[in-house]
Amino acid sequence: MNEENIFSPCSSPAAVENTNYFYVNKDGFPMQFSTWRQMCRFAAKKHPNGKNVIKDLLECAKLEEIPPPEAPILNHKRIENKLQAVQQYIYSLQYNHTGTQFFDIRKDRTIIGHSETAKAILRECLPIKCLEAVILAVFLTSGLHGLERFAIGFKSCFNNSSTHKHVVLGVYYGGMYGAIGISRRESLGYKPLKYTTLTALIEEFEQSYNNVHHQLLKVAIGLPISHDNRSFEQINWKYLTLQNFHSRDRERVQQVIERYAKDMRTKLKTSSSIRSSLKRQISSVVSSDLRNSLGKKSMSCTNIYSKESPTKILPQIKK
């Protein structure tokens, strides 16, 4: 790839003018030249002195090789340490500032489809954005007993002009709430497992938005996500949506959030008890079926011998 090809006009110049969002690599890996060109042109336009930086990279004969980060091994005893290990791995991938999302993520995909995307992220070890971090965190935390995960989405406004969307993975364990994620601002990503209520966690994010001069417009909270990475269920991203969050009555907001959190915890307890009772019923049914099948086999063996009883065989011998 040379500078002339990279910065030559692309097939749809109007797309480059639309700078409200970002591009997405929909062609997979290895990345197509058109995707590289689109990414470089977009980054050169958005970043200060971006064109000179990209030109220096293209003219560099040999770039330094950076070893890929190792995937976390969750062999810690405490759930807090496991969540920190997942978060540290997400941080090691770094935030993607290029303006092109490397992994195509459609929210309407099933969990098994998202799991394949998470495996690709682990394989390629490229910088990621907030949505990719959520999908990766869902995959890495699946199977952690007692941990419940749900999406928390935000929409904010900066300087009463541009709006921005963000999403993290909310976590609940042992009566405490936290979050896993990544953002341009570190305060809008990871939150340790220390908040006693879901409202306290949301208010912490609101304060983090205020600290970077953003006004929080909307908060969306999803339903608990299945731990089965082979599930054909879809992730519910916004079961509860709070519009005009910054101007709502605080007491009313707290009531709505805590009612939802209570219902979620109740459903989790009910579903866990149902799952445990189903497991007991299934194990009892399997064991009874196994006993019955063994009994039928022994009966069939007995029938085989009884059909050829000596009283039936002896007349044949005499003949």
Side-chain angles (χ1 to χ4, degrees), residues 221-241:
I221 308 173
L223 291 176
I225 301 171
S226 171
H227 279 265
D228 184 7
N229 285 332
R230 298 181 179 180
S231 173
F232 287 94
E233 297 179 15
Q234 293 179 332
I235 296 177
N236 187 303
W237 297 92
K238 44 185 178 181
Y239 181 80
L240 172 66
T241 302

Side-chain angles (χ1 to χ4, degrees), residues 33-292:
F33 174 77
S34 59
T35 305
W36 278 106
R37 181 178 62 180
Q38 185 175 261
M39 180 183 69
C40 292
R41 296 182 74 243
F42 189 77
K45 182 174 181 177
K46 296 293 290 184
H47 291 266
N49 200 30
K51 188 171 183 178
N52 293 331
V53 172
I54 293 175
K55 183 166 49 170
D56 292 341
L57 289 173
L58 295 175
E59 293 175 353
C60 185
K62 185 177 181 181
L63 297 174
E64 179 185 357
E65 291 188 6
I66 301 177
E70 295 183 0
I73 300 175
L74 305 182
N75 54 2
H76 310 282
K77 292 184 178 180
R78 291 172 55 85
I79 192 69
E80 294 86 351
N81 296 336
K82 294 180 180 180
L83 297 180
Q84 288 177 1
V86 172
Q87 183 62 51
Q88 287 302 319
Y89 178 74
I90 291 175
Y91 280 152
S92 67
L93 295 177
Q94 300 185 10
Y95 188 83
N96 181 2
H97 293 277
T98 64
T100 299
Q101 183 173 296
F102 294 124
F103 303 93
D104 183 17
I105 297 178
R106 301 190 307 274
K107 285 187 173 182
D108 59 349
R109 293 190 72 184
T110 58
I111 293 179
I112 189 172
H114 289 310
S115 298
E116 294 302 316
T117 303
K119 293 176 184 177
I121 296 174
L122 291 168
R123 183 173 58 251
E124 301 296 337
C125 294
L126 291 171
I128 57 177
K129 289 182 174 290
C130 60
L131 184 57
E132 296 159 301
V134 169
I135 296 302
L136 181 60
V138 168
F139 180 77
L140 293 176
T141 58
S142 62
L144 296 183
H145 181 69
L147 179 71
E148 296 300 336
R149 301 88 42 83
F150 51 94
I152 306 177
F154 304 96
K155 184 179 180 180
S156 63
C157 177
F158 176 71
N159 199 22
N160 293 325
S161 57
S162 59
T163 58
H164 303 264
K165 292 183 179 180
H166 180 49
V167 63
V168 296
L169 182 68
V171 291
Y172 172 78
Y173 180 84
M176 295 293 178
Y177 292 89
I180 299 175
I182 195 170
S183 173
R184 292 182 179 89
R185 303 284 186 172
E186 187 175 349
S187 60
L188 295 176
Y190 175 68
K191 300 293 182 184
L193 198 67
K194 68 175 187 179
Y195 300 92
T196 55
T197 64
L198 183 57
T199 303
L201 176 63
I202 300 299
E203 289 178 346
E204 174 64 24
F205 272 106
E206 183 182 25
Q207 184 60 46
S208 299
Y209 271 106
N210 292 336
N211 293 339
V212 294
H213 309 289
H214 276 243
Q215 190 177 58
L216 192 56
L217 301 179
K218 183 173 72 173
V219 177
I221 308 173
L223 291 176
I225 301 171
S226 171
H227 279 265
D228 184 7
N229 285 332
R230 298 181 179 180
S231 173
F232 287 94
E233 297 179 15
Q234 293 179 332
I235 296 177
N236 187 303
W237 297 92
K238 44 185 178 181
Y239 181 80
L240 172 66
T241 302
L242 298 172
Q243 301 280 0
N244 302 319
F245 188 85
H246 64 287
S247 60
R248 280 179 173 268
D249 179 64
R250 293 287 109 173
E251 185 176 353
R252 177 58 179 164
V253 168
Q254 182 176 359
Q255 291 176 355
V256 172
I257 294 177
E258 291 310 313
R259 186 187 305 134
Y260 164 80
K262 183 179 179 180
D263 291 342
M264 182 177 65
R265 292 193 300 268
T266 304
K267 290 178 181 178
L268 291 176
K269 290 180 181 179
T270 305
S271 61
S272 62
S273 61
I274 291 175
R275 284 196 297 267
S276 60
S277 63
L278 281 176
K279 286 182 180 179
R280 289 194 298 267
Q281 293 176 12
I282 291 172
S283 60
S284 62
V285 169
V286 170
S287 59
S288 63
D289 287 347
L290 183 61
R291 288 195 300 269
N292 292 336

